[in-house]
Structure formats: C-alpha cells, structure tokens
Amino acid sequence: MTPASQLVHVSPHNDEPDDFSLTYTKERSTMTTTHHAPAGAKSPRQAAVASLIGTMIEWYDFFVYSTAAALVFNHLFFPNFDPTAGTLLAFSTFTAGFIARPIGAAVFGHFGDRIGRKPMMVLTILIMGIATVLIGCLPSYDSIGTLAPVLLVTLRIIQGLALGGEWGGAALMSTEHAPEANRGFFGSFTQAGLTVGLVLAMLVFLPLNLLNDAQMEAWGWRIPFLLSSIFVIVGILMRLKLTDTPDFKRVKKSNERAKMPLIEVVRKFPLQVIFMAGASMSSGILFYLVATYNLVYTADGSISRSFMQILVMTTSVLGFFVVLAAGKMSDRFPRHKVYLFGLILIAIIAVPLYGALDSGNAGFIVVTYILATIALYIPYAVQPAFFSTVFSADVRYSGLSLGVTLGHLVGSSIAPLIAGALVAATGSSFAVAGYLLVATVISFVSVIVLVRLRRPAESALEPSVAV
C-alpha cells in the first residue's frame, strides 16, 4: 500500500501553502490532473484576458472620474467654495466611492460565493458603466443647485459598490482557472487591467487640454464618461463567453456553499482580512499619489498639466509589463518575498519622488516616476495569487473582496486628502513622503504576519483526484 503521507503532494514551487494547489494521486494510475483547465488549454488564457479587459473598463471609469475630480469638478459642482476647498470637496466625492467598496464587496462577494463568479463579473461591469454614463449627463451646480453634487455623490457611491464587487471576481476568474505553476502570471492579468484603463483614461483627456476652460467645463469633460458605454458593451460580451471557475463548480456540486459567506469570513478569518487590508495599503497609496494627487500638487509650479498626464500615461505603459513580469516572477520565487521586495522599493523611492517634484527638474521627475512605477506594481501584481490562497473556496470571493477593499478604504481613498492636508499644515512635501513610509512599514509587517497566518485553507471542496 502507498503510505498515506505520499497520497498528497503540495506544490513547492513558491514555498507557500495553497488550498487549491493540492494534488491527490491513486495507486491505480500514474496520471495526475488538476482542476484548473478542464475546459481546454485556452480556458485559463481566455479567463485571464477577460479579467484584464473587464478590469480595464472598471478602472477606466474610475480614473475618468478621478481625473475630472482633480481638474474640473471643483468648479462645476462646488463653485461657492475657494479653489482649495472646492478641490478637497471634489476629492471627498472621490473618497465616497471607496467607502462604498466594502459594501459592494460584501454584497457581490455573497452572491459570488453563492451563485458564481461569472454572473457577478457581468453585473458589476454593467452597473459601473451605467453609473459612469449618467455622471457624464449630470447638470452642473449652476443649473440645478445643490442637487447636482448630491447626484454626483450618489453615482460615485454606485461606482464604488460595483468596483468593490468586481475586483474579487476578476481575480478569482484568472487564478482559479489558472494552472498551478502559472497562477501568479495569470492572476497578474487582472492587475494589468488597471494600467490599461489608466492609459485609456489619460488618452481620452489629453486632446481635451486643447479646449479652453469654458469649453472644458461646458461639455468637454463629459466625453470620457459617455465613451464608457462602448467599452462596457465590449466587456460584457467578453465576460459572457466565460464559464465559471472549477473551484466554484466543485463547491456547488458538493452542495457545501456557505449560507452567509461574509459571516463565515468574519468568524473564520478575521485576522487574515485585517492583515490583508494592511498589506494592500502601501502600493495603493503610492498609486493614487502618482496618478491623481500629484496632478494637483504640481498644478501651480513650473510643470505643466499635460507633462504630468503624459508622464502618468507612459509610466503606466511600463507598469503593464512590470505587472506581468512580477506575476511571472512570483511563480518562480515565494510570492510573499516578491511582495516584500516591492515594498522595500517603495520605501526607497518615497523621499526622492517628492524631492524631484519640488525641484521642477523634468528629467529628475521622469526617473523617479519610472522607479515609483516599478516599485508599486510589483506587490500589486502578486495580490490575486497571494491573497486568494488565504480563504477556502466557499468564502473566497467574500474574503478576498473584503480584505482588499478595506485596505483601499483606509489607504488609497484618503491618500489625496491626507497628502493635501499634510502639505497645507507643514508647507513641505516631505510630510507626504513620511506618510508613505509609515504606510509601507504597516504593509511590510502585515505581509509577514499574513504569511504566518496562512495555512492550507479548510477548503469546502474536494482536491482534484487522478483518474
């Protein structure tokens, strides 16, 4: 008889426990298969590309909003305040979307664990697209008074609800379909969608810089929002072609779906959720500083708006390749070590980044932005494959979504507000660098603790069995 200890093989390719990397064998056969590619060799690639495209659209909508908030929303929806206060209020509406994300994570995570990953992916992208188009149709404060900012905040909250539920589904579609040896790489496609969405948003806004202020505020800002309708149709068609993941199918077939996934997550994995939130803070904060806040920070200096937008756009192109390379690297080395390496790079670049912005030296700014892009996208790329191993498959959608969205709420959402307040209070951008360093230390410690908490999850599904 084969010893029981030899019946289970845990893949050592990245030295990390992983409840869906277990492969069982039987004496009667030497052939071993995994449950990640039952729909054919193209299934993992199709899932990864569909996740990328769908996430790209979600983030395009989100970045169009954030760019408009930085450039024109203070004049359109908060005209009775001075420019600084109006800008802070515009960013407050930006924050409202983040507050809604954990709610969206709970709602869509529940149904993602109960009904399936695919239906929630289609629904969230549809909701996000409708809300974005409606924002593009909103009348300004001058037309309808205080109802205008109220409607803006309402639609922003709807955007946040959709995005809070979308990311977890996209991450699981790419990782749960992926072959074990390439889970980091396929999972990184979900994250690459962010860079493509940002580039598209910036490309749409660049020609609008040719408009004068009156044209921009009258109709120019609406164009990027209305274009979202085209992208949404493409995204929905892509996602409708997918099948649900093998992990969810197995949970469904075993009839062991959690009745209340969120409650199960809170009961079984509370520390994992907390430290996942902490782990995701640093890269999220740095991203929103370089992609949104710094556009405002440099507005009154010698660096033009167009220069900063082009810089963000071109470094995001670089970010696309960094994400995929880091995902691939996480299949060769322990994922948490790749994650920690990226956090170390963030700590190194924090002070030089704002020194460069203060100097007004274009070359220095370009170099620091390139280094910051490499630093932030390394840990970001690893998140789907690294975080998804924390939870059993019956509650994985809920747990993954909740942990990451809470991290965004306490990190990314308030990053522009905290940065602006720190500069206003101290008169120095190095306070912002200090803020980023503190967040990076929190993320570093959180990753270490999260690795210690992780273990082969108490999965509700049967490991794959050789036949």
Side-chain angles (χ1 to χ4, degrees):
M1 294 292 292
T2 304
S5 61
Q6 296 179 12
L7 291 179
V8 181
H9 166 68
V10 181
S11 171
H13 76 279
N14 57 21
D15 299 328
E16 295 182 353
D18 184 343
D19 69 303
F20 51 87
S21 67
L22 296 177
T23 305
Y24 277 49
T25 61
K26 286 185 177 180
E27 290 180 282
R28 63 181 182 181
S29 174
T30 59
M31 180 182 297
T32 306
T33 60
T34 68
H35 61 267
H36 293 291
K42 292 184 178 181
S43 181
R45 292 193 293 271
Q46 289 173 340
V49 172
S51 294
L52 183 153
I53 293 175
T55 306
M56 170 201 79
I57 296 166
E58 298 274 2
W59 285 108
Y60 167 85
D61 292 348
F62 222 64
F63 293 136
V64 162
Y65 185 99
S66 63
T67 304
L71 301 178
V72 298
F73 278 2
N74 57 333
H75 305 297
L76 292 171
F77 295 98
F78 306 98
N80 293 336
F81 296 87
D82 65 73
T84 300
T87 299
L88 289 175
L89 285 170
F91 274 128
S92 296
T93 65
F94 179 72
T95 303
F98 284 92
I99 295 174
R101 282 195 196 185
I103 301 173
V107 172
F108 292 107
H110 171 86
F111 290 105
D113 285 322
R114 292 288 302 167
I115 299 175
R117 285 49 162 142
K118 175 184 171 179
M120 295 305 103
M121 288 179 69
V122 174
L123 182 59
T124 53
I125 197 173
L126 178 62
I127 293 173
M128 185 77 170
I130 291 173
T132 303
V133 171
L134 289 177
I135 289 175
C137 299
L138 279 179
S140 67
Y141 183 94
D142 291 340
S143 299
I144 61 173
T146 56
L147 183 59
V150 170
L151 290 174
L152 178 67
V153 172
T154 300
L155 291 172
R156 177 60 175 170
I157 290 173
I158 293 173
Q159 278 191 320
L161 291 171
L163 190 54
E166 193 279 339
W167 184 84
L172 293 184
M173 285 296 283
S174 58
T175 56
E176 290 184 348
H177 271 294
E180 178 186 331
N182 301 110
R183 191 173 300 124
F185 178 64
F186 281 108
S188 69
F189 274 75
T190 302
Q191 307 300 72
L194 179 149
T195 65
V196 181
L198 177 56
V199 170
L200 284 176
M202 289 291 181
L203 281 174
V204 170
F205 267 100
L206 276 179
L208 299 180
N209 288 334
L210 300 176
L211 302 177
N212 58 43
D213 290 342
Q215 291 172 324
M216 183 67 172
E217 293 179 12
W219 53 268
W221 69 273
R222 301 180 185 277
I223 294 174
F225 289 92
L226 299 178
L227 283 176
S228 178
S229 59
I230 299 174
F231 299 142
V232 167
I233 293 172
V234 174
I236 290 176
L237 292 176
M238 285 291 300
R239 290 186 167 186
L240 284 173
K241 294 179 180 179
L242 295 175
T243 60
D244 224 317
T245 71
D247 285 8
F248 175 76
K249 289 179 179 178
R250 189 168 286 103
V251 170
K252 183 178 180 180
K253 184 177 181 180
S254 67
N255 199 29
E256 294 185 7
R257 285 172 288 180
K259 292 183 179 179
M260 297 296 294
L262 182 62
I263 294 176
E264 288 295 304
V265 167
V266 173
R267 184 173 66 86
K268 292 182 179 180
F269 307 101
L271 292 179
Q272 286 86 339
V273 170
I274 292 171
F275 286 104
M276 185 180 295
S280 63
M281 282 177 57
S282 179
S283 58
I285 289 173
L286 178 56
F287 175 81
Y288 280 97
L289 291 177
V290 301
T292 60
Y293 172 74
N294 290 350
L295 297 178
V296 177
Y297 179 74
T298 57
D300 297 328
S302 59
I303 302 299
S304 70
R305 178 200 300 175
S306 294
F307 174 85
M308 291 301 297
Q309 287 178 313
I310 292 173
L311 180 58
V312 171
M313 183 177 66
T314 52
T315 52
S316 295
V317 174
L318 169 65
F320 176 87
F321 296 101
V322 173
V323 167
L324 297 183
K328 191 68 176 177
M329 185 165 56
S330 74
D331 288 323
R332 294 175 58 87
F333 303 98
R335 292 194 179 101
H336 71 280
K337 292 185 179 180
V338 176
Y339 204 116
L340 293 174
F341 174 69
L343 293 178
I344 291 171
L345 293 182
I346 291 176
I348 291 172
I349 197 60
V351 173
L353 175 63
Y354 281 92
L357 293 175
D358 288 341
S359 74
N361 184 305
F364 190 14
I365 293 173
V366 169
V367 170
T368 55
Y369 252 69
I370 290 174
L371 294 176
T373 297
I374 295 171
L376 76 91
Y377 281 121
I378 289 176
Y380 184 71
V382 183
Q383 286 179 2
F386 178 45
F387 289 163
S388 62
T389 62
V390 172
F391 306 102
S392 55
D394 58 328
V395 297
R396 190 174 292 145
Y397 199 136
S398 297
L400 189 66
S401 299
L402 183 62
V404 172
T405 54
L406 286 176
H408 290 163
L409 177 62
V410 300
S412 308
S413 68
I414 56 177
L417 290 173
I418 289 182
L422 286 172
V423 171
T426 65
S428 171
S429 65
F430 289 104
V432 181
Y435 162 54
L436 180 58
L437 284 171
V438 170
T440 303
V441 171
I442 293 173
S443 291
F444 195 94
V445 173
S446 295
V447 170
I448 293 174
V449 175
L450 190 61
V451 170
R452 293 182 179 275
L453 289 172
R454 291 169 71 242
R455 62 190 185 280
E458 299 154 1
S459 180
L461 45 101
E462 291 293 327
S464 54
V465 179
V467 292

